[in-house]
Structures are given as C-alpha cells and as structure tokens.
Amino acid sequence: MDKTDYRILRILKENGRESASDIGKEIHLSVSAVLDRIKKLEDSGVIKSYTILVDSSKLGNDVIALMEVSLEHPRFYDEFTETVRGIDAVVDCYYLTGDFDFNLKVTCASSDELEQIHRKIKSIPGVSATRTHFALKEVKNVYAAIPGE
C-alpha cells in the first residue's frame, strides 16, 4: 500500500458511497485507476465490507454499557463467543488480557433491557464474573483507524 491507497481509504471512511469520479478528482487519478485500487484493497481484505453508521439513540437505544466478563476456564471460550454473537444488543466483543476475559459494548433502550441482557450473559455456561459500566456520553466512535490520521 502506498500514500494514494491511504488517501482513498480516508475518503471512503468518511463516505463509503463516494464515487470513483469524485475520488479521482480529489487525488488526481483517473476513474479507472481509482476503481483498480479499490478492487485491490477489497481483494486483499484491507476493505472488508461497506456499511452504515447509525445513531443508536435515534433508534431508541439510549443506553450504552461496557460489560467486562470473566470465564471460569478457557474451555468455555467457544460457547461464550457463539452465544454473544447471537445477542443483537452486543455490538462489539473483544477478547482481552488482564483481569477480565472479554469486553462487550451493549446498546439497548433502557436499564430494564440491560438487566435482561446482563442476566442472559451471566447465564452463559462458564461465566464467573461481570462488571458493567454505563457510558454517560459518546466522545468518539470511529470504525477503523487509518495510519497517518
């Protein structure tokens, strides 16, 4: 990857629907050169998919919580991750080092709904402890960091 590829990624990060023509004008490349570069970025897996960012609160999900989860033993990893993938309110899940094994980002409509999600997660076999933090305010939410930004 070169500087031009990074410039294309930055533009697409801001607007995944930006036309190859507009990208080409901004970075001084032909439309076909831009399309070729984007295709290579997709084929190599650098660009994994195109998606949208939504404002969760406008969808009625006013509660954001970060939940740390510990497992009794690593043998519970597969069942835990499979179950968490099936919980729509869990929007991010990271396997960690340190005192807890996982960190989950949960978005939901209310503290009552969060309680139900919490109970569901605590009932997954192997879960030994949780610690939940309510997010007061979103300060930054970026899907991906591109080097040089």
Side-chain angles (χ1 to χ4, degrees), residues 71-121:
L71 299 180
E72 293 172 16
H73 191 275
R75 73 176 172 266
F76 294 107
Y77 173 90
D78 291 334
E79 185 173 358
F80 177 82
T81 57
E82 183 178 326
T83 303
V84 165
R85 284 186 188 105
I87 303 172
D88 290 339
V90 176
V91 296
D92 289 315
C93 176
Y94 297 96
Y95 188 44
L96 308 172
T97 61
D99 294 336
F100 286 86
D101 297 307
F102 293 92
N103 192 0
L104 313 178
K105 180 180 177 184
V106 178
T107 62
C108 56
S110 66
S111 58
D112 288 338
E113 185 179 350
L114 180 60
E115 179 188 1
Q116 294 303 313
I117 295 162
H118 184 257
R119 287 177 189 218
K120 185 172 191 172
I121 289 169

Side-chain angles (χ1 to χ4, degrees), residues 9-63:
L9 287 175
R10 284 188 200 95
I11 292 167
L12 290 174
K13 178 181 169 187
E14 288 300 314
N15 179 4
R17 297 179 66 181
E18 191 71 66
S19 71
S21 175
D22 288 343
I23 294 171
K25 287 176 189 169
E26 187 169 333
I27 64 173
H28 309 292
L29 278 182
S30 69
V31 171
S32 61
V34 169
L35 290 171
D36 286 344
R37 284 177 175 266
I38 290 172
K39 177 78 170 120
K40 287 178 185 174
L41 291 167
E42 292 169 344
D43 290 345
S44 68
V46 171
I47 296 176
K48 293 168 53 172
S49 69
Y50 296 89
T51 189
I52 60 169
L53 294 176
V54 297
D55 184 332
S56 292
S57 66
K58 291 187 178 174
L59 297 175
N61 289 328
D62 293 323
V63 174

